């Protein structure tokens, strides 16, 4: 018999003690009638495809009635915990009357690694679901039973890009109390961005952001690009980012890159530096730079973004001491 136990969070080998044991899945070839949750399996709507990979019965929302969780998909014989789940069904048994609350969710994502979990400060039990875009991005959703609905309580994933989002039990008491987002792709301009969140009563609170900032650029163009990159990232609670931005641009009263103009420059920076036109003129320890970027011509309304900068060479390197965005761009 193959017992599919809750899968560990990627990068974490610990298994919180409070997670209940998941009902074992019958061995291939056994009679379906042998399964203790057969009557609930019979109550599921639609034609089932694949193996029963995950099953559990528990009063998740503490309303006095049991919820039944059934996951169907493709069994990974080598490592069952990483089996692909195609459909998740959540039912409720109310004094023998069975009702189905949901038959699927998180459309578009590959689902794997189901388990039942507890969150710090909350009495009920939640459904954890690992998610992937079937490429280089993994994340998760934490689902709660609310009345007759299955809703997201915590969610951290992305349809595109690269990275790994992991849920955390920081004090290892069996209750999850936070999570991390680790991203490094063209959306972060290839900078490693790590955001840490605390879960306080199930609510997400950003506590820190760590950005892997490259060395200070030596060339004028590199200084301008790094300033644009870090400005467009819009990270919060990142001391190293604030420190670097203050070093790159010493014009404290200069124009801020905001609104549609920031969106336009971000579009240009997402892997398309060659589309930004640079006109740089250096005169000794001073330099003038004029930047132009024209948004995609296929858009209904084409918009041109421009920026004028003055830079000076100091002991720290090239620094922006004047930045102007024409009024029409702001």
């Amino acid at each position: 018999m193959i017992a599919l136990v809750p899968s560990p969070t990627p990068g974490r080998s610990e298994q919180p003690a409070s997670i209940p044991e998941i009902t074992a899945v019958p061995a291939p070839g056994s009679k379906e009638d042998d399964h203790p949750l057969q009557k609930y399996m019979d109550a599921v709507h639609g034609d089932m495809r694949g193996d029963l990979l995950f099953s559990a019965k528990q009063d998740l929302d503490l309303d006095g009635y049991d919820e039944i969780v059934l996951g169907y998909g493709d069994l990974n014989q080598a490592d069952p915990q990483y089996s692909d789940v195609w459909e998740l069904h959540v039912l409720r048994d109310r004094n023998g009357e069975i009702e189905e609350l949901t038959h699927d969710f998180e459309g578009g994502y590959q689902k794997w690694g189901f388990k039942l979990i507890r969150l710090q400060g909350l009495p009920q039990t939640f459904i954890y679901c690992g998610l992937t875009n079937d490429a280089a991005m993994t994340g998760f959703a934490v689902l709660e039973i609310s009345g007759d609905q299955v809703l997201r309580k915590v969610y951290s994933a992305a349809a595109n890009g690269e990275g790994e989002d992991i849920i955390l039990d920081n004090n290892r008491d069996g209750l999850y109390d936070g999570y991390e987002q680790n991203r490094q792709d063209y959306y972060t301009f290839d900078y490693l961005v790590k955001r840490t969140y605390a879960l306080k009563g199930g609510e997400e609170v950003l506590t820190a952001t760590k950005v892997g900032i490259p060395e200070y650029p030596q060339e004028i163009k590199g200084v301008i690009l790094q300033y644009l990159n870090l400005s467009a990232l819009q990270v919060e609670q990142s001391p190293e980012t604030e420190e670097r931005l203050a070093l790159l641009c010493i014009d404290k009263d200069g124009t801020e890159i905001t609104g549609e103009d920031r969106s336009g420059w971000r579009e240009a920076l997402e892997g398309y530096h060659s589309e930004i036109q640079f006109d740089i003129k250096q005169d000794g320890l001073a330099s003038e730079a004029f930047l132009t970027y024209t948004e995609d011509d296929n858009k209904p309304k084409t918009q041109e973004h421009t920026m004028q900068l003055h830079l000076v060479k100091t002991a720290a390197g090239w620094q922006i001491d004047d930045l102007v965005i024409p009024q029409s761009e702001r």
Side-chain angles (χ1 to χ4, degrees):
M1 176 180 292
I2 297 175
L4 181 60
V5 298
S7 64
T9 303
R12 295 290 190 275
S13 59
E14 303 87 354
Q15 183 71 27
S18 66
I19 296 178
E21 183 178 352
I22 301 303
T23 306
V25 176
S30 64
K31 295 181 179 179
E32 289 187 351
D33 291 342
D34 293 341
H35 200 286
L37 301 181
Q38 184 61 46
K39 67 176 180 179
Y40 303 110
M41 296 161 61
D42 292 340
V44 167
H45 291 94
D47 296 328
M48 295 285 60
R49 302 180 304 275
D51 306 304
L52 177 64
L53 302 173
F54 175 93
S55 60
K57 181 181 180 183
Q58 184 176 325
D59 182 2
L60 302 181
D61 57 354
L62 304 179
D63 67 347
Y65 303 103
D66 283 335
E67 279 74 41
I68 299 87
V69 187
L70 303 171
Y72 292 84
D74 185 20
L75 177 64
N76 185 328
Q77 296 282 357
D79 194 346
Q81 66 186 0
Y82 291 109
S83 297
D84 294 334
V85 177
W86 301 333
E87 297 183 15
L88 183 78
H89 298 258
V90 181
L91 305 95
R92 175 179 288 137
D93 188 340
R94 195 188 300 269
N95 297 326
E97 181 180 343
I98 302 171
E99 56 182 328
E100 187 168 2
L101 305 185
T102 185
H103 66 276
D104 204 4
F105 64 98
E106 308 302 342
Y109 287 99
Q110 188 67 49
K111 299 174 276 290
W112 57 277
F114 285 91
K115 57 188 176 183
L116 302 184
I117 67 172
R118 293 279 309 282
L119 301 181
Q120 193 81 48
L122 296 175
Q124 65 267 47
T125 300
F126 299 87
I127 303 169
Y128 169 94
C129 170
L131 301 173
T132 176
N133 63 1
D134 223 11
M137 180 70 222
T138 59
F140 66 89
V142 176
L143 309 172
E144 69 171 328
I145 309 301
S146 178
D148 294 333
Q149 294 182 298
V150 181
L151 305 175
R152 289 179 180 173
K153 183 65 176 177
V154 186
Y155 175 84
S156 186
N160 300 300
E162 300 180 17
E164 180 185 39
D165 298 355
I166 51 178
I167 195 165
L168 302 172
D169 175 14
N170 289 294
N171 59 6
R172 304 192 182 192
D173 64 351
L175 306 176
Y176 287 100
D177 51 20
Y179 67 93
E180 291 177 356
Q181 288 182 341
N182 298 281
R183 306 290 173 81
Q184 186 172 17
D185 51 37
Y186 56 91
Y187 291 110
T188 65
F189 315 124
D190 287 324
Y191 294 174
L192 176 61
V193 179
K194 174 182 175 181
R195 292 182 173 89
T196 303
Y197 293 83
L199 293 174
K200 299 182 178 180
E203 298 300 320
E204 308 165 40
V205 179
L206 177 66
T207 58
T209 304
K210 179 70 175 177
V211 180
I213 303 175
E215 294 183 358
Y216 198 91
Q218 298 297 309
E219 304 297 328
I220 295 171
K221 183 176 179 180
V223 168
I224 296 171
L225 281 174
Q226 191 171 103
Y227 179 76
L228 288 176
N229 283 334
L230 293 177
S231 297
L233 278 178
Q234 293 183 267
V235 295
E236 299 177 4
Q237 300 194 37
S238 172
E240 68 275 5
T241 301
E242 294 177 5
E243 181 180 344
R244 179 59 63 86
L245 282 170
L247 194 60
L248 291 165
C249 183
I250 56 177
D251 180 13
K252 306 308 178 187
D253 299 321
T255 304
E256 292 187 5
I257 307 172
T258 59
E260 291 185 2
D261 192 50
R262 178 164 51 198
S263 299
W265 287 111
R266 180 178 181 90
E267 178 184 281
L269 291 164
E270 288 179 351
Y272 304 104
H273 293 170
S274 61
E275 295 187 7
I276 301 176
Q277 302 301 313
F278 288 84
D279 183 7
I280 300 174
K281 294 181 175 63
Q282 181 180 346
D283 183 9
L285 299 180
S287 176
E288 295 279 354
F290 186 78
L291 275 61
T292 304
Y293 170 68
T294 303
E295 292 187 20
D296 189 347
D297 292 336
N298 293 324
K299 291 185 176 181
K301 182 181 179 181
T302 300
Q303 184 172 354
E304 183 179 79
H305 301 273
T306 60
M307 182 183 301
Q308 297 173 325
L309 306 99
H310 185 270
L311 299 91
V312 293
K313 185 70 175 290
T314 69
W318 285 101
Q319 294 178 289
I320 302 166
D321 69 343
D322 188 47
L323 187 155
V324 177
I325 297 176
Q327 188 68 31
S328 60
E329 304 282 335
R330 299 173 63 185

